[in-house]
């Protein structure tokens, strides 16, 4: 019976991945995929990896709040600071900083999912990846590498398979972006345990130094400067 339930979960997740691809990365479809991994062995493994990181268990146990940015306050910070750079990204692309699906944080899995969802765009700023589909896969690869976040593992693998089969002319750039993100993931301090809100005023360059991001993607073809 347990094996049958796992098979049903896997089938449902495969359908969610297909729906994400057909929708061209619709955020609602991505949220559906993310939620499909709640209460699964994959999420349990992700939680275990997160809790084993320095500061991870304490952050999870206190239910450190999901990100709730005050964009006007962040825009007033000096240029080059994390807060100003993050707010500029949100304003530049007319993003809604509350686009993520609201979730209760009553379980470890839901809390971690919501924290990852709300801080995703900060990862763009710190890592230097752009917001094109290729750049998105690069930044997802960081979290996939560092804590094995199930939906991001699935998305990056699916993107590679789809790119190799259907978009071969863009496969080199995609594979380089994912490889770049994986490299950052292995070399840098885990992004998921960082309390960004306690250092909005620090320069992005200082954050990168503290975290060990020595090869940011800004100037790559899939980087922020190319978006």
């Amino acid at each position: 019976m347990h094996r049958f339930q796992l098979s049903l979960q896997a089938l449902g997740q495969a359908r969610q991945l297909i729906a994400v691809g057909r929708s061209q990365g619709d955020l609602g479809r991505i949220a559906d995929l993310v939620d499909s991994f709640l209460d699964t062995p994959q999420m349990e493994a992700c939680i275990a990896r997160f809790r084993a990181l320095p500061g991870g268990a304490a952050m999870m146990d206190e239910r450190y709040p999901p990100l709730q940015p005050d964009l006007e306050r962040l825009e007033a910070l000096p240029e080059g600071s994390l807060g100003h750079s993050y707010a500029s990204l949100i304003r530049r692309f007319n993003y809604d900083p509350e686009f993520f699906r609201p979730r209760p944080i009553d379980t470890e899995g839901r809390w971690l999912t919501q924290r990852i969802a709300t801080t995703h765009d900060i990862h763009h700023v710190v890592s230097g990846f752009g917001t094109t589909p290729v750049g998105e896969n690069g930044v997802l690869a960081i979290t996939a590498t560092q804590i094995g976040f199930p939906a991001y593992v699935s998305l990056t693998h699916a993107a590679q398979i789809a790119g190799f089969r259907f978009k071969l002319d863009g496969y080199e750039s995609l594979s380089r972006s994912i490889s770049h993100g994986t490299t950052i993931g292995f070399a840098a301090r885990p992004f998921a345990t960082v309390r960004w809100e306690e250092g909005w005023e620090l320069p992005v360059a200082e954050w990168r130094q503290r975290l060990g991001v020595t090869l940011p993607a800004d100037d790559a073809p899939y980087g922020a400067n190319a978006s």
Side-chain angles (χ1 to χ4, degrees):
M1 187 65 178
H2 179 63
R3 184 172 296 178
F4 177 68
Q5 289 176 332
L6 292 178
S7 297
L8 286 178
Q9 284 179 339
L11 179 60
Q13 288 151 4
R15 288 173 176 166
Q16 296 292 355
L17 272 173
I18 292 171
V20 170
R22 288 177 174 172
S23 70
Q24 302 290 312
D26 176 76
L27 294 176
R29 294 295 188 181
I30 293 175
D32 290 340
L33 175 66
V34 168
D35 286 344
S36 74
F37 281 100
L38 290 169
D39 303 316
T40 63
Q42 291 78 23
M43 181 57 77
E44 290 176 6
C46 177
I47 291 169
R49 287 181 64 176
F50 180 87
R51 292 188 66 87
L53 296 171
M59 193 177 193
M60 179 173 282
D61 290 343
E62 73 179 78
R63 295 293 193 269
Y64 192 82
L67 181 68
Q68 297 176 315
D70 180 345
L71 291 185
E72 291 186 2
R73 183 178 73 83
L74 297 181
E75 285 180 307
L77 293 173
E79 287 192 30
S81 66
L82 177 64
H84 186 275
S85 299
Y86 169 78
S88 296
L89 174 69
I90 299 299
R91 297 295 198 201
R92 176 184 173 192
F93 291 101
N94 198 30
Y95 290 161
D96 179 355
E98 297 184 0
F99 76 86
F100 48 84
R101 175 177 295 171
R103 300 176 181 86
I105 55 173
D106 54 330
T107 69
E108 292 181 341
R110 289 190 180 93
W111 173 83
L112 182 57
T113 294
Q114 197 67 353
R115 181 66 184 173
I116 294 297
T118 58
T119 57
H120 171 77
D121 288 319
I122 299 177
H123 296 188
H124 274 283
V125 173
V126 174
S127 66
F129 282 96
T131 56
T132 63
V134 175
E136 285 288 352
N137 277 284
V139 80
L140 293 181
I142 298 173
T143 306
T145 299
Q146 292 185 330
I147 62 170
F149 191 64
Y152 290 5
V153 173
S154 299
L155 285 168
T156 53
H157 279 91
Q160 286 187 299
I161 293 170
F164 189 71
R165 287 183 61 83
F166 306 117
K167 296 182 179 180
L168 201 55
D169 57 338
Y171 180 72
E172 180 180 356
S173 180
L174 174 65
S175 61
R176 285 182 180 276
S177 178
I178 293 174
S179 177
H180 195 158
T182 301
T183 299
I184 291 175
F186 277 120
R189 174 184 163 191
F191 287 9
T193 60
V194 178
R195 302 181 181 224
W196 308 104
E197 298 91 330
E198 298 173 19
W200 283 126
E201 73 286 351
L202 297 177
V204 172
E206 183 172 338
W207 269 113
R208 288 176 174 177
Q209 183 178 18
R210 289 186 177 195
L211 296 174
V213 180
T214 58
L215 295 170
D218 302 86
D219 295 322
Y222 41 78
N225 293 341
S227 295

